[in-house]
Amino acid sequence: MTQRVSNFIKENQSFDSEAYKKLTPVLKSAVEDVVSLVKERKGQDIVYAFDEAIEHCAMFWHISQKELLDYFDEEVMEQLGGDKWQIL
């Protein structure tokens, strides 16, 4: 998953996926902030930067970390073109 999340963050300058379109406005803002924070931490371990960004944005936007993680899981599955239960 590390590679897929890093690819998503590097490649997606705009958000136009179905997973993103289903989010509430607050979750959309939180996702954009997560991506921005991870991009700012170039050179840092991607997993560590991603985890920190999730934690920070969840607290800032008053949402659960699980909501953000669920979105990124769904996004990765969409980008892979499969159902997460088929891949697991």
Side-chain angles (χ1 to χ4, degrees):
M1 180 166 158
T2 302
Q3 184 61 31
R4 298 296 179 194
V5 170
S6 64
N7 286 346
F8 172 75
I9 290 170
K10 288 178 187 174
E11 294 170 4
N12 287 287
Q13 300 300 319
S14 62
F15 300 91
D16 61 353
S17 69
E18 291 302 315
Y20 183 79
K21 290 176 185 175
K22 292 189 290 186
L23 296 177
T24 64
V26 170
L27 278 170
K28 286 179 180 177
S29 294
V31 165
E32 291 169 11
D33 285 353
V34 167
V35 173
S36 293
L37 286 172
V38 172
K39 283 182 178 180
E40 287 176 7
R41 295 179 178 153
K42 273 187 177 176
Q44 235 185 13
D45 179 274
I46 185 88
V47 174
Y48 182 75
F50 181 74
D51 286 344
E52 274 192 336
I54 291 287
E55 185 178 331
H56 173 79
C57 291
M59 195 179 327
F60 180 84
W61 290 101
H62 304 287
I63 57 176
S64 73
Q65 290 182 30
K66 183 175 180 344
E67 287 178 288
L68 282 172
L69 291 171
D70 286 349
Y71 161 73
F72 282 102
D73 284 345
E74 189 174 336
E75 184 67 50
V76 168
M77 291 307 122
E78 184 177 326
Q79 297 300 321
L80 291 174
D83 182 14
K84 71 178 181 180
W85 302 115
Q86 290 174 339
I87 294 171
L88 294 175

